[in-house]
């Protein structure tokens, strides 16, 4: 019996590259295919957390993170399920440990200064106030509050039928110093 041919070992994609590819796939699929009850068995909070993770993964901050600095993702108390927020803490953002933190509601100025990304709900002060506070520190501001992007917030998650989409306010985002990948911006509804 002839010897079986030896196949070369499969090329392995580095873990960080696989994670990025998965993140791009998630952003694309969530943005174009849609979510909601029709999107498997994921609940809305889990999908929103996926969006937050991807926004963080595909953004750059003007400050540089050392390899020991955690990336701090903050969520206003009551705006997402605590178990979903805790689940985010098991992830990494561009090689840095992700630290998830629930901040008291309503959000205060001091809370924003400790966050790299902040998700706020309906009970937070108006978007103009939050954006003003965030100017003291480069914090990416995301909310599912209706009109958040038009009022000056950076990213607004919204429902279109049974799909979850997002709007980006480019003007206030540029002022913040945080830069979002053009791959993500192509999927967004842009607010001027």
């Amino acid at each position: 019996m002839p010897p079986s041919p030896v196949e070369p070992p499969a090329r392995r994609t580095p873990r960080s590259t696989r994670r990025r590819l998965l993140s791009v796939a998630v952003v694309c699929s969530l943005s174009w295919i849609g979510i909601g009850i029709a999107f498997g068995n994921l609940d809305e909070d889990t999908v929103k957390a996926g969006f937050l993770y991807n926004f963080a993964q595909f953004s750059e901050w003007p400050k540089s993170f050392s390899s020991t600095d955690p990336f701090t993702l903050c969520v206003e108390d009551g705006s997402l399920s605590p178990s979903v927020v805790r689940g985010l803490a098991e992830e990494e953002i561009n090689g840095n440990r992700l630290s998830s933190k629930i901040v008291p509601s309503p959000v205060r100025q001091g809370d924003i200064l400790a966050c790299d990304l902040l998700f706020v709900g309906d009970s937070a002060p108006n978007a103009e106030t939050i954006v003003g506070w965030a100017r003291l520190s480069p914090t990416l501001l995301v909310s599912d509050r209706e009109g958040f992007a038009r009022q000056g917030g950076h990213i607004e998650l919204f429902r279109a039928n049974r799909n979850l989409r997002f709007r980006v306010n480019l003007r206030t985002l540029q002022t913040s110093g945080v830069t979002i990948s053009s791959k993500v911006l192509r999927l967004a509804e842009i607010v001027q």
Side-chain angles (χ1 to χ4, degrees):
M1 184 189 245
S4 62
V6 177
E7 293 183 21
R11 287 187 71 186
R12 296 190 62 121
T13 307
R15 183 174 168 190
S16 62
T17 303
R18 283 195 311 267
R19 184 171 281 164
R20 284 185 192 275
L21 292 173
L22 177 61
S23 297
V24 170
V26 169
V27 167
C28 293
S29 65
L30 292 178
S31 296
W32 296 112
I33 294 172
I35 58 109
I37 297 167
F39 195 79
N41 56 1
L42 294 177
D43 66 13
E44 189 169 325
D45 281 358
T46 301
V47 175
K48 287 177 182 177
F51 270 94
L52 296 177
Y53 175 78
N54 282 295
F55 294 146
Q57 192 74 348
F58 291 97
S59 298
E60 291 183 22
W61 278 254
K63 69 176 187 175
S64 59
F65 292 90
S66 75
S67 59
T68 58
D69 289 339
F71 179 91
T72 307
L73 188 149
C74 301
V75 174
E76 181 185 19
D77 192 17
S79 60
L80 288 180
S81 162
S83 63
V84 170
V85 176
R86 282 191 303 274
L88 287 170
E90 300 170 7
E91 301 298 330
E92 285 186 356
I93 299 295
N94 299 320
N96 291 75
R97 181 178 57 83
L98 190 151
S99 170
S100 62
K101 178 179 176 182
I102 296 177
V103 297
S105 181
V107 174
R108 298 174 309 243
Q109 183 175 1
D111 299 326
I112 293 174
L113 300 177
C115 304
D116 297 305
L117 186 152
L118 173 64
F119 181 79
V120 295
D122 286 335
S123 64
N126 65 41
E128 294 91 352
T129 300
I130 295 172
V131 170
W133 290 344
R135 285 193 184 113
L136 301 173
S137 173
T139 303
L140 181 60
L141 302 172
V142 184
S143 181
D144 57 358
R145 180 192 312 183
E146 187 175 342
F148 186 72
R150 294 192 198 297
Q151 297 168 356
H154 301 146
I155 300 175
E156 174 187 342
L157 298 175
F158 68 97
R159 281 188 165 280
N161 298 319
R162 291 173 41 150
N163 301 329
L164 193 63
R165 305 270 190 202
F166 61 100
R167 294 182 178 103
V168 175
N169 185 321
L170 284 180
R171 184 183 53 77
T172 57
L173 183 63
Q174 290 167 344
T175 302
S176 76
V178 178
T179 306
I180 296 181
S181 166
S182 60
K183 293 174 186 173
V184 175
L185 292 177
R186 276 186 239 137
L187 301 173
E189 180 181 303
I190 303 299
V191 174
Q192 296 295 343

